Amino acid sequence: VHDIPNGNVITGSHYVRIAGGGKGGIARSDDFAEHWRVESEDLPDAPAVSIVLDPRSPKDKRTLYTSLYAKGVYRSTDGGRTWQERSRGLGSESNRRVCRLILHSDGTLFCLVTAMYRDGRFEPDGVGLYRSRDEGENWELITRSPVLLWPKDFCIDSKNSREIYLGAAD
């Protein structure tokens, strides 16, 4: 699914609605993309919209994070061989439409949850920009006001994780 979080996915007019959220996974290459192997057997079958590598992790046991659309955030501490869900406090039970994940150089994770559109209206439940300061164990919503119905993208200042730029539609 190449157009998350664009309107056709948000409004349900895309095949993702019919296919139950879309299919996806993670693959890995160690030889400059000559050969690939699946590294997502522990993950739900959903579009992986972000993959983040923690450069501070040891090369033989890389820590990776991925955001799976409609499923949340997952972490691997063994280079992608196994994955564990890390979505406590992220979005809501009815909306884990994560669409972008960033790891700041200070170790803070940021994740954007986009809107749902049902019965002709946006549902704000769970929507916004979230932050985790404990490797994804717990998430906190940092965009309480104004309520954003359709956040599209964001970036974080490379030197200051408290300076954030967020693009959204209302």
Side-chain angles (χ1 to χ4, degrees), residues 104-106 108 155-165:
H104 192 270
S105 61
D106 70 6
T108 305
C155 67
I156 312 294
D157 184 281
S158 63
K159 293 183 175 44
N160 180 2
S161 66
R162 296 181 54 84
E163 190 161 331
I164 302 165
Y165 298 89

Side-chain angles (χ1 to χ4, degrees), residues 59-153:
K59 290 188 180 190
D60 61 332
K61 292 194 296 185
R62 286 295 196 190
T63 296
L64 303 167
Y65 299 90
T66 186
S67 55
L68 300 180
Y69 188 70
K71 302 295 181 182
V73 171
Y74 289 76
R75 180 180 72 190
S76 172
T77 56
D78 58 9
R81 287 184 286 286
T82 60
W83 295 89
Q84 305 83 36
E85 185 175 6
R86 294 292 180 256
S87 300
R88 186 179 354 185
L90 182 64
S92 66
E93 289 299 318
S94 65
N95 182 11
R96 290 243 168 85
R97 290 176 154 203
V98 296
C99 58
R100 181 133 159 83
L101 181 67
I102 291 176
L103 175 64
H104 192 270
S105 61
D106 70 6
T108 305
L109 281 165
F110 293 89
C111 188
L112 189 63
V113 177
T114 195
M116 298 176 71
Y117 189 80
R118 286 192 187 144
D119 302 323
R121 65 179 189 87
F122 278 101
E123 295 182 12
D125 191 32
V127 176
L129 183 61
Y130 291 79
R131 170 178 57 207
S132 173
R133 293 184 171 146
D134 59 4
E135 300 177 326
E137 293 293 330
N138 298 285
W139 293 89
E140 62 178 317
L141 177 64
I142 61 174
T143 53
R144 297 193 188 286
S145 177
V147 174
L148 301 171
L149 296 179
W150 192 7
K152 296 277 290 171
D153 204 355

